[in-house]
């Protein structure tokens, strides 16, 4: 803690390793393989905790992340993002030396890959199971039929599986709704697998999103799990009841820089460029950009007796609403902690990390 | 353009230099000094365009930015953010070699500075002119009176002026409202200056925020202008009518990676970690995270015939709503541009820059 002077990720190794182990056990009990998404932490060191737990394959969301983790020895990497054809040189370079997975998320991708790929890759079809971000429409398979006809009988493009990310679990109102999204999504993927079973008999089903992977106990209907956020969790997952407070693996250290007794507000050095502007709306209609925690000298955190939340952000400022009883105990020059709304975005923004 | 393969700032030097010149002329006509805020661009090269225009003093919003620009030879830097006492070593080091300005934004700061400062600095009092982010309450001067009594008659702490940032101009509904915020804010600062005139007879009034500095023609009531965003402007400023489209100095290059004809949506590689989750709500109630522009080979942009906006963001994905007529002209592997909602946040997120 002594070396922290500005917004920094404090990462709790014991909590993260326990989160990794718990998800890995669930995957094993479900007969599924865990391919954790490394976009959350983007850290070589945290990645090694996964490796030590027995993980040998990962997902990332950019070519540059694939290069980063390839450089640390990861040899089975899925780029779980639509192919960016501007980066084909780097993609070919990766494909030449490791087991690379690519996504076809809309039509036209396979014909471009056929022309531009120089080494074998595993191809996955992205299916839209209801998030409507990207992926093929499972209810009108015309485009998907056409796209799959493009797959040649050559060795460079191996159709390996179906990929889905049920991001709409993040808006779920209850665990029952998360279960329902999972059941519906898996049914969609199973139907698609069935549809193409004659030509592609061994497609795997790869399923993402931390809420469903955390909440659903039996995930045996899928072959591969791709959650990422679960290594840190965050306020959004806590609001979804997808984790406990004790599972929070990262908080943001935030120097307290101003106190305004007239309106019981404190200002911390942790703004939009540290926490991101990801917000959550509470049941009371309040907008939260994070909640404040108290840090001890070793960097461990605890909740104050009353909730203190970040209710406004500008580029470098976070504005906290503080109940009067706590306000009088705060002082300028104190280090506070913020549990971010979305740990993936905060981690991306904060290159400084302290592992405790 | 040929070297761009992933989300990148495209910076238009001619537009930025014209924006700088225009603001500098306005400051000169108003008899005010321009101290541009460099938190927007955070670029040494863009900073040099200011220097070439005749600027010799700047504002920044962190100690690390002050170090960055000090290393490029800037010798008069205001850290326009409450003092972060965890960084006193670096602050003292800066104060030992250049003209450093610091802010007292709430009580207790001056007594801490008296103990910890080792070299002279210019001290500014931050006054809350209605944004309620930070700064002293101008309507109840009890705390400010007490704080200013702490200022010793020594050379290390020189009370130099009053600083305000009228961030609430960003929520203004009209130019008249921006004018009104400016007039009210200046009156507040003038009253405060008057109040302490006997003891501190030559306080300067330093005024920030791009909307008022862009919209108000005669800024002669203030001594110093501290806008930052105006070098790039962005969608938010355009919505406020604080700039024209032709004044936009930066767009984000965004590879098009998926097309979904069923819902006329395109997916670009430009998500929350590139554009930030800053949003604006249009008069029609639509949520915008940016608008799409078409890029030519040299990197110049133009608006398509119909508006195309980013209506959803996830970590790396931006989802565009595209009218049918334009949709049929788009293709995967095309480079599009996005005018960000808030250029300061996008610029902070995008280390890759192309200057054209």
């Amino acid at each position: 803690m002594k070396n922290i002077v500005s917004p920094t990720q404090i990462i709790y190794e014991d909590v993260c390793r326990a989160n990794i182990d718990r998800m890995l056990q669930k995957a094993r009990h479900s007969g599924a393989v865990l391919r954790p998404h490394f976009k959350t932490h983007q850290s070589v060191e945290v990645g090694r905790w996964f490796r030590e737990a027995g993980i040998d394959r990962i997902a990332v969301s950019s070519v540059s992340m694939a290069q980063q983790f390839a450089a640390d020895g990861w040899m089975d990497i899925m780029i779980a993002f639509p192919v960016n054809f501007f980066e084909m040189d780097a993609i070919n370079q990766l494909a030449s030396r490791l087991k690379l997975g690519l996504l076809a998320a809309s039509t036209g991708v396979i014909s471009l890959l056929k022309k531009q790929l120089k080494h074998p890759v595993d191809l996955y079809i992205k299916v839209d199971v209801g998030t409507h971000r990207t992926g093929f429409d499972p209810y009108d398979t015309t485009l998907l039929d056409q796209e799959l006809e493009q797959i040649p009988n050559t060795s460079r493009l191996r159709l390996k599986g179906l990929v889905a990310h049920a991001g709409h679990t993040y808006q779920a109102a209850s665990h029952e709704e998360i279960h329902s999204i999972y059941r519906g999504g898996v049914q969609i993927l199973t139907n698609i697998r069935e549809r193409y079973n004659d030509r592609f008999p061994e497609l795997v089903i790869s399923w993402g999103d931390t809420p469903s992977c955390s909440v659903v106990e039996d995930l045996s209907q899928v072959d591969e799990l791709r959650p990422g956020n679960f290594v840190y969790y965050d306020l959004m997952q806590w609001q979804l009841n997808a984790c406990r407070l004790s599972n929070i693996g990262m908080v943001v250290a935030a120097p307290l820089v101003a106190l305004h007794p007239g309106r019981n507000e404190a200002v911390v050095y942790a703004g939009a460029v540290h926490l991101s502007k990801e917000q959550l709306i509470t049941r009371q209609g309040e907008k939260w950009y994070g909640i404040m925690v108290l840090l001890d000298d070793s960097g461990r955190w605890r909740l104050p007796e009353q909730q203190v939340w970040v209710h406004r952000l500008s580029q470098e400022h976070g504005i906290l609403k503080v109940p009067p009883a706590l306000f009088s105990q705060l002082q300028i020059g104190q280090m506070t902690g913020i549990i971010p709304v979305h740990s993936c975005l905060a981690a991306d923004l904060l290159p400084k990390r302290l592992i405790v």
Side-chain angles (χ1 to χ4, degrees), chain A residues 45-67:
Chain A
E45 184 156 4
V46 176
R48 289 178 186 168
W49 302 342
F50 283 90
R51 187 184 283 148
E52 287 164 24
I55 302 290
D56 64 354
R57 66 199 68 190
I58 65 173
V60 296
S61 54
S62 68
V63 174
S64 53
M65 278 185 226
Q67 291 171 316

Side-chain angles (χ1 to χ4, degrees), chain A residues 186-224:
Chain A
V186 166
Q187 189 58 55
I188 286 169
L189 295 169
T190 307
N191 292 347
I192 298 272
R193 176 164 64 181
E194 187 66 26
R195 179 178 182 85
Y196 301 107
N197 190 50
D198 287 348
R199 191 158 166 232
F200 305 103
E202 291 189 336
L203 294 183
V204 303
I205 290 179
S206 178
W207 181 265
D209 90 278
T210 281
S212 69
C213 291
S214 299
V215 166
V216 178
E217 275 311 311
D218 177 9
L219 294 151
S220 57
Q221 291 174 283
V222 302
D223 304 298
E224 182 173 275

Side-chain angles (χ1 to χ4, degrees), chain A residues 23 122 175 256 277-278 282 327 349:
Chain A
M23 192 62 78
D122 286 342
H175 277 198
L256 200 157
K277 291 207 81 164
E278 190 86 79
T282 67
F327 189 88
L349 283 163

Side-chain angles (χ1 to χ4, degrees), chain A residues 114-125:
Chain A
K114 273 160 47 178
K115 286 181 205 148
Q116 300 185 31
L117 259 187
K118 293 181 180 159
H119 302 277
V121 299
D122 286 342
L123 182 70
Y124 295 84
I125 300 296

Side-chain angles (χ1 to χ4, degrees), chain A residues 78 80 102-103 123-129 134-136 161-165 189 204-208 224 226:
Chain A
M78 177 198 292
L102 296 179
L103 256 59
L123 182 70
Y124 295 84
I125 300 296
K126 178 74 183 273
V127 179
D128 176 14
V129 294
T134 187
F136 284 89
L162 307 172
V163 160
H165 177 258
L189 295 169
V204 303
I205 290 179
S206 178
W207 181 265
E224 182 173 275
R226 276 182 358 272

Side-chain angles (χ1 to χ4, degrees), chain A residues 83-96 100 102 108-121 152 154 156-157:
Chain A
V83 178
N84 173 18
F85 283 94
F86 289 93
E87 294 181 288
M88 277 310 296
D89 287 349
I91 288 170
N92 275 318
Q93 205 276 331
L94 287 164
S96 73
L100 188 70
L102 296 179
V109 171
I110 289 174
S111 68
L112 286 169
L113 283 178
K114 273 160 47 178
K115 286 181 205 148
Q116 300 185 31
L117 259 187
K118 293 181 180 159
H119 302 277
V121 299
T154 70
R156 280 190 199 158
L157 269 182

